[in-house]
Amino acid sequence: MPREITTLGVIGLGTMGAGIAEVVARNGLAVVAVEADPALAEAGRAHVQQSTSRAVARGKLTEAEQQGLLDRITFTAALEDVAPADIVIEAVPENLDLKREIFGKLDSICAPDAVLATNTSSLSVTEISVATHDPRRVVGMHFFNPAPVQRFVEVVRTVVTEPDVVGVAVGLAQRLGKTPVVVGDKAGFIANALLFGYLNHAVQMCEQHYATREDLDAAMTLGCGLPMGPLALMDLIGLDTAYEILDTMYKQGRDRLHAPAPLLKQLVAAGLLGRKTGRGFYTYAEPGSSTVVPDVVPPAAPLSGTGGVQVRDVRAVGVVGSGTMATGIAEVFAKAGYDVLLVARSPEKVAAVRERIGRSLEKAVQRGKLTDAARDAALARFRGTARLEDLADADLVVEAVIEELGVKRALFENLDEICRPDAVLATTTSSLPVIDCAAATRRPADVVGMHFFNPAPIMKLVEVIDTVATAPDVVATALSVCDRLGKHPVRCADRAGFIVNALLFPYLNDAVRMLSENYASADDIDMAMKAGCGYPMGPFELLDVVGLDVALAIQRSLYLEFREPGYAPTPLLEQLVTAGYLGRKAGRGFRRYM
């Protein structure tokens, strides 16, 4: 028979504790909210008051409902006051000794059948539970911030947690309108285990001056549709919190990818903890503010810029290829006012590209995004040919052919012979080394990477990649062209994966490894990242869209470049590709499709 829950205790009234107390009281339960520090207790009360007042202002609560909610919460400084609680949720700072001390006291205060839960996001629930005489009644309930809004809860069972205790936690989460997922006691659980490896990698990129903090954040929001960039998210979480989570995960799993980046430790030591202190990776108007202001001294020097470098004049643009990317890139350039010459293998392919561009432009007109005159002008600026030699007068040539190095190198050898000496040659490769294309020419200084994202007419991001040989004016020209196209360029050096793929695919690989270890199902992992982290797609949804063969090729290139064991493609991914389960395009990947 399910246990009846009428009263719940919350220990710790920081942001998380206050949020949990609010959501519990909002759902009709009595709450005993404990905070040893009177000032923090008052801050917790104020947090609940402000949060519910905002809900009233938005019409989500009436004033009477708000008052009833507040009346159901008893604020106290005495831990003993949670004695009548059917379940107690601890939400104090991520300090194992502190949590163990509290659970030791709760063990003697609470009734023998009361459930004791910890909201830890990274510490071992097992290590917390053994501070009690009966670890079987201890469970993890990891709420996500802000607790009143976020619908996902990780319910963490240890090897000794009683099934009915897990049932109580699941039932409570469902009663609170949350979506619970039951997982084992492993460092980081689902969401943090996948999220913080990615965040740590971004910090390392910043630390190495591979890209600026602004470009790193823009790359992931514009290139992947994430709600926040990794460094801005670290500032929101709190760099001290992020450091503790990473350090805990590293100590438990010994995965080098979770070893906190030295820059993160330095910022924490300096007291630069993010928004709450007014400065972290960014500087804010005041502590607690979300308004970013210019830095006096940024935490990491940006990649050297191109200010003052004369850009080359670009009017005529060549595009080589006839696939989706080449078609989209040609359309983008034509709409931006460039004369575009597209080279395909046959007149029939040229005609097909022109037809696709015409349909795309017509759809834009029907949606009110383009005028009839602009559509006609863009089409008039587009020409096609099956002869590479017709690119002799182009100022910029962008290749978008198949992602095979041999094919691209042969093309660049031809472009080297055909194009003017001052023409810029660009590759839109997503994973191959740009320098390998440049080395096929006698003018590597004129070669640059311009990685557009699919679909090119819609996606705003372009990664501009300069090799060790690329001339500064060529980089400046590529950046200038992106601005005219209405794109947001981010600059990085020629390294496997560039920014987006280098951050995205190890995260996807980690998700596949988590699935292969039977820690959680694909559905639960996808839900954790969407509901818990606000990602637009879960990792397995995204892998099936991208194509498992594409993902495997990119992951292999990352592993071969960095030789990082954690980047080695998981056997499960390799096996699925071998079996022909490539995702949506094959009708089956991690899921089946009609």
Side-chain angles (χ1 to χ4, degrees):
M1 182 176 177
R3 300 192 197 182
E4 183 180 1
I5 304 296
T6 58
T7 304
L8 186 142
V10 176
I11 313 299
L13 295 178
T15 302
M16 280 305 305
I20 294 169
E22 176 187 337
V23 75
V24 170
R26 185 177 291 202
N27 284 274
L29 295 173
V31 180
V32 179
V34 182
E35 178 57 72
D37 186 326
L40 292 178
E42 188 53 41
R45 185 196 302 271
H47 183 95
V48 176
Q49 179 76 51
Q50 292 166 4
S51 177
T52 53
S53 293
R54 287 194 298 269
V56 171
R58 293 171 183 168
K60 295 183 178 180
L61 277 181
T62 66
E63 290 186 0
E65 288 171 333
Q66 178 193 26
Q67 189 57 53
L69 184 160
L70 293 171
D71 289 344
R72 284 191 288 275
I73 304 176
T74 301
F75 293 89
T76 177
L79 192 62
E80 293 76 11
D81 291 344
V82 301
D86 305 296
I87 180 171
V88 179
I89 300 176
E90 164 274 310
V92 301
E94 288 288 270
N95 181 291
L96 180 60
D97 290 339
L98 175 61
K99 290 179 185 288
R100 285 169 58 87
E101 178 185 351
I102 289 171
F103 271 77
K105 293 177 179 177
L106 291 175
D107 189 40
S108 59
I109 292 172
C110 298
D113 62 345
V115 172
L116 306 182
T118 173
N119 183 57
T120 181
S121 60
S122 60
L123 296 174
S124 168
V125 178
T126 303
E127 290 189 38
I128 295 171
S129 72
V130 294
T132 71
H133 289 96
D134 187 6
R136 297 174 300 171
R137 63 166 166 165
V138 178
V139 69
M141 287 193 73
H142 178 212
F143 289 77
F144 285 72
N145 191 31
V149 176
Q150 295 280 43
R151 300 184 65 82
F152 182 60
V153 175
E154 291 172 318
V155 175
V156 186
R157 51 171 169 69
T158 73
V159 292
V160 298
T161 306
E162 290 285 357
D164 70 317
V165 170
V166 174
V168 168
V170 168
L172 174 63
Q174 292 171 335
R175 180 173 177 178
L176 300 180
K178 308 299 183 184
T179 303
V181 167
V182 179
V183 295
D185 188 18
K186 176 182 175 181
F189 314 134
I190 297 177
N192 282 351
L194 295 179
L195 176 66
F196 277 86
Y198 149 71
L199 295 178
N200 198 40
H201 191 181
V203 176
Q204 291 165 353
M205 282 187 171
C206 181
E207 182 177 45
Q208 295 161 1
H209 302 172
Y210 176 67
T212 66
R213 60 192 177 182
E214 291 84 2
D215 280 356
L216 286 166
D217 281 350
M220 300 312 290
T221 54
L222 298 176
C224 295
L226 301 186
M228 294 183 75
L231 302 183
L233 179 56
M234 289 284 265
D235 276 357
L236 177 62
I237 293 169
L239 304 192
D240 51 342
T241 301
Y243 180 86
E244 289 298 330
I245 290 173
L246 282 165
D247 191 49
T248 299
M249 289 169 60
Y250 175 71
K251 288 175 179 175
Q252 288 189 38
R254 289 296 187 265
D255 185 342
R256 203 174 67 83
L257 298 177
H258 292 147
L263 175 59
L264 182 58
K265 183 176 183 179
Q266 292 160 16
L267 290 169
V268 171
L272 308 179
L273 308 183
R275 287 190 187 183
K276 59 188 174 185
T277 60
R279 187 174 168 202
F281 286 100
Y282 295 90
T283 300
Y284 301 88
E286 60 184 9
S289 171
S290 62
T291 303
V292 176
V293 298
D295 292 303
V296 177
V297 182
L303 200 68
S304 57
T306 57
V309 177
Q310 184 68 38
V311 301
R312 301 186 188 183
D313 187 32
V314 176
R315 299 181 184 180
V317 175
V319 177
V320 183
S322 57
T324 302
M325 282 305 302
T327 302
I329 291 168
E331 178 185 335
V332 167
F333 274 101
K335 284 195 296 189
Y338 290 98
D339 293 325
V340 179
L341 177 64
L342 181 134
V343 180
R345 289 186 174 181
S346 67
E348 292 77 17
K349 287 186 178 293
V350 170
V353 170
R354 183 178 183 85
E355 182 182 351
R356 291 200 299 270
I357 291 176
R359 286 201 306 267
S360 177
L361 293 173
E362 181 59 33
K363 286 171 65 177
V365 170
Q366 292 177 7
R367 293 176 180 175
K369 297 180 179 180
L370 205 65
T371 65
D372 289 339
R375 173 200 60 202
D376 295 342
L379 279 173
R381 285 189 287 267
F382 175 84
R383 293 184 300 119
T385 179
R387 288 168 37 86
L388 274 175
E389 290 77 6
D390 293 341
L391 294 171
D393 294 326
D395 303 307
L396 165 67
V397 178
V398 180
E399 72 78 14
V401 299
I402 189 169
E403 197 77 340
E404 291 183 8
L405 185 57
V407 174
K408 290 184 185 289
R409 283 180 59 87
L411 174 58
F412 272 84
E413 287 179 13
N414 282 321
L415 294 177
D416 185 35
E417 296 170 0
I418 293 167
C419 297
R420 295 199 325 261
D422 61 341
V424 174
L425 307 180
T427 172
T428 191
T429 180
S430 62
S431 59
L432 297 174
V434 177
I435 192 62
D436 282 352
C437 296
T441 73
R442 293 164 295 179
R443 47 165 133 177
D446 294 330
V447 179
V448 67
M450 292 183 69
H451 178 210
F452 289 78
F453 286 72
N454 192 33
I458 296 173
M459 298 295 281
K460 301 291 275 184
L461 182 71
V462 177
E463 290 176 318
V464 175
I465 304 104
D466 54 309
T467 74
V468 291
T470 308
D473 66 326
V474 170
V475 177
T477 299
L479 295 170
S480 175
V481 166
C482 288
D483 287 338
R484 181 172 168 184
L485 294 176
K487 302 297 185 184
H488 186 112
V490 296
R491 183 181 171 188
C492 61
D494 186 20
R495 211 165 75 176
F498 312 134
I499 297 175
V500 173
N501 285 349
L503 290 175
L504 175 65
F505 281 88
Y507 147 73
L508 296 176
N509 198 48
D510 284 346
V512 178
R513 185 178 297 110
M514 183 178 285
L515 176 67
S516 69
E517 293 171 350
N518 298 308
Y519 180 67
S521 69
D523 288 345
D524 284 350
I525 295 170
D526 276 354
M527 185 184 51
M529 299 314 293
K530 290 190 293 183
C533 300
Y535 280 28
M537 299 178 76
F540 298 105
E541 290 176 299
L542 182 56
L543 280 163
D544 278 356
V545 169
V546 169
L548 273 60
D549 52 339
V550 174
L552 179 59
I554 293 173
Q555 196 61 44
R556 281 174 173 167
S557 70
L558 290 169
Y559 177 61
L560 287 173
E561 176 131 332
F562 297 106
R563 306 302 171 100
E564 172 59 58
Y567 289 172
T570 59
L572 176 59
L573 181 60
E574 302 219 24
Q575 292 160 8
L576 289 169
V577 172
T578 300
Y581 301 159
L582 307 182
R584 288 190 180 180
K585 60 188 175 186
R588 181 172 177 181
F590 287 99
R591 296 181 175 87
R592 291 180 182 270
Y593 302 89
M594 296 297 293

